[in-house]
């Protein structure tokens, strides 16, 4: 991969905004450099633009160097930045699987970047060769998601490796649901593949969707490009502090994951006995995709009970499918009770 050839010319030439907090990073007694209000501490101060304390904490949790971490306002931010950094609007394209997470397409559309979709197989597996065959000289990035949303399955690691080896642009692997799966993250392989970008998030297993913190892991040259483009203070002080605090709860996170995975097994077993349930696809995530007789009608019925699931029946390969998040044991019981009323 040649990063200089991959990056858009205007981004290569860009002189990034330099904030007061970028220019002076040591400890001073008096800060009169950023036109801040001297009152209302600590909220009067701009936050660390590169979030070093938080990155160091994540670095030690994940065993990755802090220079290989980018933090964003949710995963949405690195997804958008990848297009802005590498894809020339109206010229370049990206390749992804179908169905998958909707944000890749939305971010590409906003940036006027063509999306080339390759349908998954009937078993929701994918072929690296098909994705490579769909790419051309203008393909700058391939997005895959493992475990995939909304199909819930892990993608074959050997196929992902074929992408990394066979493609000279970026390969983004979205691991938002990796904690719920039996597979390991690809993070330990970051140094093996210079074109690998891994996305993770605090929104799912860590239970912090409300504070908006997404992570991208890649080689420092790629992270430096992301940093050049991002808003100077993209992660606010409250999010940085709260994430530092809540990342201490590693054990609690693992207990939540275990409970959710146990509840997932229970849900699969119980839903399977319902006559209108046709297929429950195997799940490596914190949700299940269920094919049902007249999914739309079941969706409407559940809303009458105040239970909202995701109707995915209009999505490729998901005819008559509902996507159901695994909730707390009590919430899951309520769902099953409401479904039984339909028999
Ligand atoms: C939920 C989800 C995310 C997380 O998005 P955030 O913006 O970090 O909340 C990322 N990727 C996929 C595939 C998801 O389903």
């Amino acid at each position: 991969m040649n990063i200089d050839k991959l990056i858009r010319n205007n981004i290569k030439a860009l002189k990034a905004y330099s904030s007061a907090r970028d220019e002076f990073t040591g400890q001073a007694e008096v800060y009169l450099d950023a036109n801040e209000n001297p009152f209302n501490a600590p909220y009067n101060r701009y936050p660390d633009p590169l979030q070093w304390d938080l990155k160091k904490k994540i670095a030690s949790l994940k065993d990755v160097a802090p220079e290989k971490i980018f933090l964003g306002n949710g995963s949405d931010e690195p997804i958008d930045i990848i297009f802005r950094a590498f894809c020339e609007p109206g010229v370049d394209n990206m390749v992804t699987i179908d169905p998958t997470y909707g944000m890749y397409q939305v971010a590409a559309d906003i940036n006027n970047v063509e999306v080339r979709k390759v349908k998954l197989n009937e078993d929701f597996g994918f072929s690296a060769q098909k994705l490579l065959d769909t790419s051309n000289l203008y393909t700058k990035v391939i997005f895959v998601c493992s475990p995939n949303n909304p199909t819930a399955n892990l993608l074959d690691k050997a196929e992902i490796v074929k992408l990394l080896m066979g493609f000279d642009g970026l390969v983004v692997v979205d691991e938002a649901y990796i904690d719920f799966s039996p597979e390991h993250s690809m993070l330990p392989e970051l140094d093996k593949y210079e074109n690998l970008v891994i996305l993770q998030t605090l929104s799912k297993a860590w239970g912090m969707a409300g504070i908006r913190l997404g992570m991208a892991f890649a080689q420092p040259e790629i992270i430096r490009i992301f940093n050049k483009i991002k808003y100077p203070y993209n992660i606010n002080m409250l999010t940085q502090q709260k994430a530092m605090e809540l990342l201490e709860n590693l054990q609690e996170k693992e207990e939540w994951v275990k409970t959710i995975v146990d509840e997932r097994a229970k849900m699969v077993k119980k839903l399977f006995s319902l006559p209108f349930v046709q297929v429950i696809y195997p799940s490596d995530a914190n949700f299940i995709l269920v094919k049902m007789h007249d999914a739309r009608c079941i969706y409407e019925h559940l809303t009458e009970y105040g239970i909202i699931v995701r109707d995915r029946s209009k999505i490729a390969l998901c005819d008559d499918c509902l996507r159901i998040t695994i909730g707390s044991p009590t919430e899951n019981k309520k769902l099953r009770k409401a479904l039984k009323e339909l028999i």
Side-chain angles (χ1 to χ4, degrees), residues 280-317:
I280 305 175
Y281 294 97
S283 172
D284 301 300
N286 67 336
F287 59 88
I288 51 175
L289 188 71
V290 187
K291 192 189 267 304
M292 298 176 177
H293 181 69
D294 205 348
R296 187 66 208 179
C297 169
I298 291 167
Y299 175 88
E300 306 279 358
H301 168 84
L302 288 174
T303 62
E304 280 162 29
Y305 282 78
I307 298 171
I308 315 301
V309 298
R310 200 85 201 270
D311 180 4
R312 300 281 78 183
S313 54
K314 297 287 177 285
I315 295 217
L317 306 180

Side-chain angles (χ1 to χ4, degrees), residues 211-256:
I211 72 167
R212 309 306 299 132
L213 200 100
M215 301 168 275
F217 303 90
Q219 290 306 311
E221 305 82 72
I222 298 174
I223 299 298
R224 277 197 291 271
I225 297 165
F226 293 178
N227 285 339
K228 207 167 148 180
I229 300 182
K230 74 179 187 72
Y231 290 155
Y233 304 106
N234 60 327
I235 309 293
N236 70 67
M237 171 195 296
L238 301 178
T239 293
Q240 291 189 45
Q241 284 173 354
K242 203 68 195 173
M244 288 287 285
E245 181 189 320
L246 294 181
L247 283 170
E248 290 292 324
N249 305 342
L250 179 61
Q251 202 185 333
E252 196 180 14
K253 179 213 94 169
E254 276 162 10
E255 282 160 22
W256 291 335

